[in-house]
Structure formats: C-alpha cells, structure tokens
Amino acid sequence: DLDNHFDRFINNDNLRLLIEAIQNLNEIDKSIMFLYLEDKSHDEISEILGISKTNVGTKINRIRIFLKKKINTQNHGNK
C-alpha cells in the first residue's frame, strides 16, 4: 500500500529520497502523485487533469512501482 510505504519516510533523508524520486517522473505523473499525496480522490484527479478515472488508477499503480524501485535503489546505494 502506497500510504504505508510513504509512512516510512519520516526523517529528512528519506523524505529527500522520495522528493528526488518524484522529480524523476514526467509532468503528468508528477501531477498525479502530488494530487494523490494531497488526498485527492481518483475522481478529483481525473477531473483536474482531464484523464479517465481508470487511467488515474493505472498510472498511480505504475508510479508506485517506479517510486519503490527508485527509492530502494537509492537506499541500497547509500548503505
């Protein structure tokens, strides 16, 4: 669950890694993540960005996978 994954990012280093990973996203994916992190619903994100609700859900799942891989790579590289 993305919420549980983000709950682990409570210290500045981990928050920095999350922000850096989000910055690597394209503009639409970045927008989706920031809206998602603002607790916007799939319906709200769909309306704001002009894409289907199904597309929002699909993109969120793909973004989650990308962010997890990116963050895990960064964490392992820093140890």
Side-chain angles (χ1 to χ4, degrees), residues 9 16 21 23 34 39-40 52 58 79:
F9 293 93
R16 181 186 53 76
Q23 292 301 321
F34 284 125
D39 291 327
K40 302 289 186 198
S52 72
T58 300
K79 290 184 179 181

Side-chain angles (χ1 to χ4, degrees), residues 25-79:
L25 299 172
N26 65 43
E27 292 303 313
I28 190 80
D29 291 350
K30 209 180 297 185
S31 298
I32 288 169
M33 283 314 300
F34 284 125
L35 290 167
Y36 181 80
L37 291 171
E38 290 176 0
D39 291 327
K40 302 289 186 198
S41 70
H42 285 52
D43 286 327
E44 291 172 309
I45 296 169
S46 171
E47 186 176 319
I48 291 167
L49 297 178
I51 60 177
S52 72
K53 180 180 173 182
T54 302
N55 199 7
V56 169
T58 300
K59 284 185 170 289
I60 287 173
N61 286 330
R62 288 179 182 163
I63 295 165
R64 287 174 48 190
I65 292 167
F66 170 81
L67 291 176
K68 284 180 184 179
K69 286 180 182 178
K70 186 80 171 169
I71 290 165
N72 284 334
T73 299
Q74 289 174 331
N75 273 333
H76 291 289
N78 292 335
K79 290 184 179 181

